[in-house]
């Protein structure tokens, strides 16, 4: 017996580890090994704007610098207000939709909380 828990979706006993995840080969369900161990770990992403304010999903921010839009001749001008941001992990830690430009990613160092 491998000692790994059975799949919570189909109860298959043939689960295996893939990094920090557990995988079921029968139904392709993936879940966290930490969650399977009974640990409730809440991962919170703390993102701060250019002046140190903590941002959260749904906040509005103002652009502090003219930003060129990659792959386009458009520019996001200083003072542009962006509503309803979504925080993500990665190089650009804010996903948003800007009127007239569309969906894009912003770095938190170029915005301040509105």
């Amino acid at each position: 017996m491998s000692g790994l828990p059975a799949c919570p979706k189909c109860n298959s006993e043939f689960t295996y580890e893939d990094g920090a995840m557990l995988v079921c080969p029968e139904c392709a369900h993936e879940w966290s090994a930490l969650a399977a161990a009974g640990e409730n770990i809440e991962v919170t992403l703390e993102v701060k704007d250019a002046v140190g304010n903590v941002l959260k999903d749904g906040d509005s921010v103002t652009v502090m610098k003219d930003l060129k839009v990659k792959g386009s001749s458009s520019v996001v001008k200083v003072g542009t207000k962006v509503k309803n941001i979504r925080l993500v992990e990665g190089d650009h830690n804010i996903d948003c939709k800007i009127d007239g430009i569309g969906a894009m990613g912003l770095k938190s160092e170029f915005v301040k909380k509105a």
Side-chain angles (χ1 to χ4, degrees):
M1 194 77 191
S2 66
L4 295 175
C7 174
K9 193 170 184 182
C10 71
N11 292 325
S12 171
E13 62 185 32
F14 302 111
T15 57
Y16 63 92
E17 289 182 274
D18 185 19
M21 302 292 285
L22 295 174
V23 181
C24 175
E26 292 183 8
C27 69
H29 180 65
E30 295 182 3
W31 68 100
S32 169
L34 295 175
E39 299 178 23
N40 287 334
I41 296 178
E42 184 177 325
V43 178
T44 57
L45 181 63
E46 184 173 296
V47 177
K48 294 185 179 183
D49 67 1
V51 293
N53 297 322
V54 177
L55 299 173
K56 60 182 188 251
D57 286 343
D59 281 347
S60 294
V61 295
T62 304
V63 177
M64 295 179 56
K65 173 183 173 183
D66 283 348
L67 301 173
K68 294 180 183 177
V69 178
K70 202 175 211 178
S72 173
S73 61
S74 303
V75 176
V76 178
K77 297 283 187 180
V78 146
T80 301
K81 189 168 184 178
V82 181
K83 299 177 185 174
N84 199 17
I85 64 170
R86 188 169 48 99
L87 302 179
V88 294
E89 288 187 41
D91 186 30
H92 292 80
N93 45 12
I94 298 174
D95 275 347
C96 61
K97 184 176 178 185
I98 299 177
D99 293 337
I101 295 176
M104 66 183 302
L106 295 174
K107 291 185 177 183
S108 60
E109 63 200 52
F110 299 121
V111 300
K112 68 178 179 178
K113 194 170 185 176

